[in-house]
């Protein structure tokens, strides 16, 4: 004799079309090698990037657009190329969305090696 557990299950079939009809986004970024005028193989590039994107720009099938997906990001950082095949990077990002007046921040650190 095996115990039986009955759990009600509800299955919703998704329509053939996606619920998000259109996404929209753009960004602009600027950086400059501050060691350009120095005789060195190193590069030090501070940069700034601004992004705006909305993955619910237009919705289908009666789905109400979620303003949390209407986002802007500001990133400020620098990359230090110690040689032609290695870089250390650090940046700080500030995230905002259409549902809140407050923003969240994040510090990113990275190492890149290529050959």
């Amino acid at each position: 004799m095996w115990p039986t557990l009955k759990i009600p299950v509800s299955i919703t079939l998704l329509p053939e079309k996606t619920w998000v009809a259109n996404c929209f986004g753009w960004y602009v970024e600027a950086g400059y090698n501050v060691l350009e005028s120095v005789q060195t193989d190193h590069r030090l590039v501070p940069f700034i990037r601004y992004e705006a994107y909305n993955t619910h720009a237009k919705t289908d099938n009666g789905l109400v657009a979620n303003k949390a997906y209407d986002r802007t990001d500001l990133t400020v950082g620098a990359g230090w190329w110690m040689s032609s095949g290695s870089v250390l990077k650090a940046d700080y990002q500030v995230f905002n969305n259409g549902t809140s007046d407050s923003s969240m921040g994040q510090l990113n650190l990275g190492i890149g090696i290529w050959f």
Side-chain angles (χ1 to χ4, degrees):
M1 180 172 189
W2 297 94
T4 303
L5 177 63
K6 292 184 179 181
I7 301 173
V9 176
S10 173
I11 298 175
T12 303
L13 298 176
L14 297 175
E16 290 181 15
K17 285 181 74 178
T18 179
W19 289 8
V20 176
N22 192 9
C23 298
F24 175 79
W26 61 273
Y27 74 95
V28 62
E29 180 172 354
Y32 180 74
N33 179 10
V34 296
L35 300 178
E36 185 74 30
S37 62
V38 179
Q39 189 72 16
T40 181
D41 290 337
H42 295 239
R43 289 189 303 158
L44 180 61
V45 181
F47 69 92
I48 186 167
R49 178 175 51 242
Y50 181 81
E51 306 170 60
Y53 52 97
N54 186 349
T55 56
H56 269 202
K58 183 178 178 187
T59 57
D60 281 340
N61 301 325
L63 179 68
V64 176
N66 186 341
K67 291 185 180 197
Y69 295 113
D70 186 5
R71 301 184 47 149
T72 58
D73 301 346
L74 176 65
T75 307
V76 178
W80 174 38
W81 281 259
M82 300 167 286
S83 68
S84 64
S86 61
V87 62
L88 295 177
K89 290 189 170 188
D91 65 55
Y92 187 77
Q93 294 181 290
V94 178
F95 305 107
N96 291 300
N97 66 44
T99 62
S100 175
D101 291 332
S102 63
S103 58
M104 293 177 24
Q106 172 177 299
L107 176 66
N108 303 300
L109 302 172
I111 300 171
I113 299 172
W114 60 97
F115 43 92

